[in-house]
Amino acid sequence: MMTATKPISSAGGVEVLGIDLSAPPKDAGELVELFDQHGLLLFREQPMTKAVLLAASRMFGEPLVHLLGHNNDREVPEVAVVSTRGRDGDIEAKDPDELVGRIEWHTDQAYTPSPNRATMMWAVELPPEGGETGFVDREKVYEAMPASLRDRIDGLHVVQSWRKAQAEIAKNPNYATDEGAKMLQLDRFPDLSYELVQRHPVTGRKVVHAPPMWSSAIVELPGDEGTALLDEVMAFSLQPHFVYWHRYRPNDVVLWDNWRFMHAASGTKGRYRRLMYRTVLKGGAVMGVPLDPAESEAAEKRYRAAMQSARAEAV
Ligand SMILES: [Fe+2]
């Protein structure tokens, strides 16, 4: 079998043609190769079910029950419900004209030492405007970087901060309606140190890791110099020619390499419904080290206490 593909943007990614994910090929090797090569695959016109999404995900790795848990599907826990109406479809935005679901550029799970390898999204219900996912190929970013900037960031480490994301989310009042925002308010994850230039564990190619949602400082350069360098790397990474915003059609399925692409959500007006089902696939590579092991333990204790009181409230 030779699977046909066509590019989906000048910033990267390919559409995979002639594949029915509800009757996947016995040998997924070629699809896995395409995934490793391009890092962003689009499958159009894939009417499916949560069970089919889960089975299709298994071609590329081991689906995880997401550690945050707030939007895990009640029947198929490996599938997350990504919805403007909350997991059970009963949450209304406070202001119908304000954005809901806008999420800053990030990679998934960089607040943990071992982020997931990949994320698969199935578009079920789409708003008439907004609701796009943005993608940036951080490998292309590194390739395009001038040697002068590469030299300045080589060997440095970047702080990945859950608290930075909390502070950003608190600025958006419509997020207060979102279960995810409530979950983000938990003081759960300690700051981690990540390499600013990583080697992709599968492809071996270099990738710039400075996702704006989590990246708060450069470990070796505390203070203004580090902040300025981090801002420069982020601004370089988000130049328009690196950015692709995917406008979904119903039954699009998108799979991206979370170790290579960063992504963002444009959000949509609170009045509109948007429903996606998502899986995340296990990584296994250790990329982050706690900056302060004592803080790591304290954070775990705070998280357990917060979860206990959240359960008490739920009952
Ligand atoms: Fe994400």
Side-chain angles (χ1 to χ4, degrees):
M1 181 182 78
M2 276 297 289
T3 305
T5 62
K6 66 176 183 190
I8 52 175
S9 80
S10 55
V14 294
E15 180 182 349
V16 184
L17 304 166
I19 294 286
D20 175 0
L21 291 174
S22 67
K26 280 209 176 63
D27 177 7
E30 201 181 334
L31 288 178
V32 172
E33 263 175 46
L34 284 174
F35 176 61
D36 287 344
Q37 186 185 344
H38 298 286
L40 173 61
L41 304 183
L42 166 65
F43 303 86
R44 296 257 195 214
E45 294 173 50
Q46 303 289 329
M48 53 165 64
T49 62
K50 287 177 260 184
V52 169
L53 176 67
L54 190 56
S57 303
R58 287 205 170 99
M59 288 195 289
F60 299 93
E62 182 188 334
L64 295 172
V65 174
H66 198 284
L67 75 166
L68 292 182
H70 62 280
N71 60 358
N72 292 351
D73 186 77
R74 294 188 192 280
E75 290 153 12
V76 187
E78 297 91 340
V79 171
V81 183
V82 178
S83 167
T84 52
R85 293 290 184 268
R87 170 166 51 178
D88 299 313
D90 58 351
I91 294 176
E92 293 294 326
K94 280 183 187 162
D95 181 341
D97 289 316
E98 287 293 320
L99 281 182
V100 288
R102 192 191 73 76
I103 305 177
E104 172 64 289
W105 289 99
H106 66 288
T107 58
D108 286 335
Q109 300 183 2
Y111 47 85
T112 72
S114 297
N116 58 299
R117 168 75 201 281
T119 303
M120 187 181 265
M121 288 266 261
W122 165 36
V124 180
E125 192 176 344
L126 296 167
E129 57 184 274
E132 295 92 358
T133 304
F135 294 98
V136 164
D137 183 347
R138 301 177 293 136
E139 186 185 306
K140 274 196 192 336
V141 169
Y142 185 79
E143 277 167 14
M145 221 173 228
S148 55
L149 185 51
R150 283 187 185 177
D151 288 348
R152 286 161 61 212
I153 65 173
D154 198 33
L156 297 181
H157 293 77
V158 60
V159 178
Q160 299 297 283
S161 169
W162 177 259
R163 290 184 192 93
K164 181 185 180 193
Q166 287 177 311
E168 290 297 320
I169 282 165
K171 290 179 195 161
N172 183 338
N174 250 10
Y175 264 114
T177 60
D178 181 345
E179 280 182 80
K182 279 187 233 154
M183 191 52 93
L184 272 168
Q185 284 154 20
L186 293 177
D187 199 1
R188 175 175 184 180
F189 299 100
D191 288 352
L192 299 173
S193 166
Y194 267 59
E195 290 180 337
L196 187 42
V197 178
Q198 301 175 331
R199 250 188 210 287
H200 190 291
V202 173
T203 67
R205 294 192 289 261
K206 286 187 171 179
V207 170
V208 176
H209 185 85
M213 185 164 170
W214 315 119
S215 301
S216 62
I218 290 179
V219 175
E220 293 83 356
L221 297 171
D224 293 347
E225 189 190 349
T227 306
L229 181 55
L230 196 50
D231 287 348
E232 188 180 339
V233 171
M234 289 174 185
F236 185 88
S237 307
L238 291 173
Q239 293 176 89
H241 57 277
F242 291 130
V243 176
Y244 167 61
W245 284 99
H246 183 65
R247 173 96 194 128
Y248 292 92
R249 298 180 199 158
N251 291 324
D252 274 3
V253 172
V254 169
L255 173 73
W256 69 87
D257 182 344
N258 186 50
W259 292 348
R260 172 168 164 185
F261 277 78
M262 86 183 151
H263 60 284
S266 66
T268 187
K269 283 183 183 167
R271 67 174 73 252
Y272 298 134
R273 304 177 71 87
R274 178 182 187 263
L275 174 64
M276 321 284 280
Y277 287 112
R278 182 195 71 193
T279 56
V280 292
L281 305 183
K282 187 175 175 178
V286 175
M287 296 182 178
V289 178
L291 278 175
D292 174 355
E295 165 62 8
S296 175
E297 240 169 72
E300 189 60 35
K301 273 187 196 149
R302 282 198 302 274
Y303 169 68
R304 276 200 298 270
M307 289 304 281
Q308 260 168 9
S309 73
R311 266 197 292 274
E313 279 170 31
V315 177

